């Protein structure tokens, strides 16, 4: 078995264990306001970190790509206008694609 398959199996087991942990946590722990607040805010922080890495990262370094930044700005504008999520994605991708077609790196 290659190292990649070992990593895949270990990751799958870890994901299963994490999901199982969520199911066996006592109800009293989940009713705690601190735990509830943590559970509400962590996905937002993780999504923001993912957006930052994708918008400003290129491999192992930071990169200021005007097309990506314009796409991110267009997505923010669409979100502020309360557009549906699919529209936000299409607007962001369309803006970046249009700028790349015009030669903006």
């Amino acid at each position: 078995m290659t190292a990649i398959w070992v990593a895949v199996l270990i990751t799958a087991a870890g994901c299963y264990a994490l999901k199982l942990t969520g199911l066996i946590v006592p109800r009293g722990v989940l009713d705690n306001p601190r735990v509830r607040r943590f559970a509400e805010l962590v996905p937002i922080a993780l999504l923001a970190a993912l957006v930052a890495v994708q918008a400003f990262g290129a491999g192992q370094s930071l990169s200021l790509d005007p097309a990506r930044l314009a796409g991110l700005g267009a997505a923010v504008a669409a979100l502020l206008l309360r557009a549906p999520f699919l529209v936000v994605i299409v607007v962001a991708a369309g803006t970046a694609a249009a700028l790349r077609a015009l030669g903006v790196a």
Side-chain angles (χ1 to χ4, degrees):
M1 192 178 318
T2 65
I4 293 175
W5 280 108
V6 171
V8 167
L9 292 174
I10 290 172
T11 303
C15 289
Y16 181 78
L18 187 62
K19 209 158 191 50
L20 182 63
T21 302
L23 292 173
I24 62 174
V25 172
R27 188 74 180 153
V29 172
L30 297 176
D31 289 337
N32 185 336
R34 283 184 175 173
V35 173
R36 184 177 304 226
R37 184 76 172 147
F38 179 80
E40 290 172 355
L41 294 179
V42 165
I44 297 167
L46 290 174
L47 183 59
L50 178 64
V51 168
V53 167
Q54 291 298 313
F56 302 113
Q60 296 285 330
S61 63
L62 289 176
S63 172
L64 294 179
D65 180 5
R68 276 193 219 173
L69 295 177
L72 181 60
V76 169
L79 283 171
L80 291 174
L81 293 173
R82 306 247 181 216
F85 185 69
L86 185 58
V87 173
V88 172
I89 299 298
V90 169
V91 165
T95 300
L99 287 175
R100 289 200 196 285
L102 293 173
V104 176

